[in-house]
Amino acid sequence: MKIDLVTIFPGMLEGPFKESMIKRAVDRGLVEINLIDLRSYTRDRHRQVDDTPYGGGCGMILKPEPLFEAVEDLKSKSEYERSWVLLMTPQGRRFDQQAARKLSGEKHLILICGRYEGVDERVRTALIDEEFSIGDYVLTGGELAAAVIVDAVVRLLPGFITEEAAANESFSDSFLEHPHYTRPSAFRGMEVPSVLLSGNHAEIERWRRKQSIKRTCERRPDLLEKAKLLPDEKSYLEEIMRQQN
Ligand code: SAM
């Protein structure tokens, strides 16, 4: 996969991709991540990327010309047939694991990071395939949102983590993941559940599944609407719900 991030502050995005597992994915060739300085697509002496809004009002708007030139250039240089262009915006669809999974199937992503009051509307209507928000709050720029999206997408690429690890994760099948424990088995009077020390893998799996259902019911009951439950899991869920009421 190839990911191009278009920003006026490329320095902001250097850290997140040069550490830990994302760096390893880059080093292993699972993904190529390029930071594209929008100013390199300006033609004037001042390398101007923004201008005042028509109609007056506060703030600056990212101009259409450099953004169009950047996206057209990145698309034309891409070795892939399809490039999928994303705009970071608080007005977009809320980014979630399902969206991450879908995006991880793309070969070439171009992420546009807005700044100031945002981008000229013609960018949104003519250049963008999907608009994403990472939550109902307003950031100063799209860089952190883009870093979140890239992180969530890259870790779903085949070979990044094992299929088993990916399958058990929160949101992978409409459930939150079960709790985890590590050594020591007793810490400040808090014991690790004995089943996890039993070595009985079938029992451990059953315990984890039940914990996962319980957690989801307590914290994110909305997720359970789409969950596929076996008959005994259904009865367990009903029991938890009875206890809650
Ligand atoms: N004036 C815009 C509005 O009210 O909708 C907000 C602009 S915001 C200050 C500047 C840039 O930050 C946006 O263009 C977008 O790229 C990014 N941004 C801010 N909040 C975001 C969010 N929740 N999700 C994704 N991107 C966001």
Side-chain angles (χ1 to χ4, degrees):
M1 176 184 258
K2 175 171 169 170
I3 302 178
D4 293 323
L5 296 118
V6 181
T7 166
I8 58 170
F9 295 118
M12 271 192 78
L13 286 166
E14 270 163 20
F17 309 128
K18 290 214 169 128
E19 301 280 347
S20 186
M21 288 177 74
I22 302 289
K23 177 182 184 305
R24 224 177 304 152
V26 171
D27 292 344
R28 284 170 54 207
L30 283 183
V31 62
E32 174 188 329
I33 300 176
N34 304 308
L35 305 182
I36 312 296
D37 187 347
L38 183 63
R39 288 189 201 280
S40 66
Y41 288 94
T42 53
R43 290 163 186 261
D44 63 307
R45 213 156 49 91
H46 302 290
R47 305 178 84 206
Q48 192 182 348
V49 288
D50 57 342
D51 211 333
T52 53
Y54 275 121
C58 58
M60 300 294 274
I61 313 296
L62 289 183
K63 287 162 65 62
E65 307 95 308
L67 281 167
F68 270 76
E69 288 205 18
V71 170
E72 283 161 4
D73 184 46
L74 294 170
K75 280 185 173 181
S76 75
K77 283 183 187 153
S78 175
E79 57 273 50
Y80 301 111
E81 215 167 274
R82 165 164 140 148
S83 302
W84 198 244
V85 185
L86 311 178
L87 177 67
M88 306 299 106
T89 164
Q91 302 180 12
R93 172 181 153 213
R94 182 90 62 87
F95 183 70
D96 59 14
Q97 190 71 4
Q98 203 184 336
R101 214 171 292 130
K102 194 185 140 266
L103 293 177
S104 71
E106 294 290 336
K107 290 280 174 244
H108 183 207
L109 296 178
I110 301 175
L111 281 74
I112 310 281
C113 306
R115 274 276 150 182
Y116 316 124
E117 287 307 314
V119 301
D120 183 287
E121 185 65 5
R122 290 162 290 187
V123 170
R124 199 188 62 74
T125 51
L127 271 190
I128 303 300
D129 296 306
E130 246 178 320
E131 298 173 44
F132 281 114
S133 161
I134 61 160
D136 289 349
Y137 40 80
V138 179
L139 303 164
T140 53
E143 288 75 12
L144 296 177
V148 166
I149 290 178
V150 170
D151 189 292
V153 168
V154 169
R155 66 192 301 289
L156 292 176
L157 293 179
F160 187 88
I161 50 174
T162 65
E163 276 186 27
E164 188 197 352
N168 285 327
E169 275 189 330
S170 296
F171 310 112
S172 57
D173 59 354
S174 308
F175 294 102
L176 301 179
E177 200 179 33
H178 56 77
H180 296 280
Y181 293 88
T182 185
R183 275 183 275 271
S185 62
F187 177 69
R188 297 192 178 185
M190 294 176 280
E191 306 265 340
V192 170
S194 57
V195 61
L196 297 179
L197 310 175
S198 69
N200 183 334
H201 294 294
E203 275 301 312
I204 292 172
E205 269 324 296
R206 247 192 307 280
W207 180 86
R208 285 183 168 160
R209 183 71 174 165
K210 277 185 157 185
Q211 288 294 319
S212 168
I213 294 171
K214 184 164 181 274
R215 248 184 194 202
T216 313
C217 184
E218 288 165 355
R219 297 173 185 215
R220 292 293 305 277
D222 56 301
L223 295 176
L224 290 170
E225 282 162 26
K226 290 188 206 141
K228 287 193 189 98
L229 292 165
L230 296 170
D232 60 328
E233 293 175 336
K234 245 187 208 156
S235 333
Y236 179 62
L237 176 62
E238 281 160 12
E239 187 190 317
I240 299 169
M241 286 164 112
R242 262 198 308 277
Q243 282 168 7
Q244 278 183 346
N245 291 328

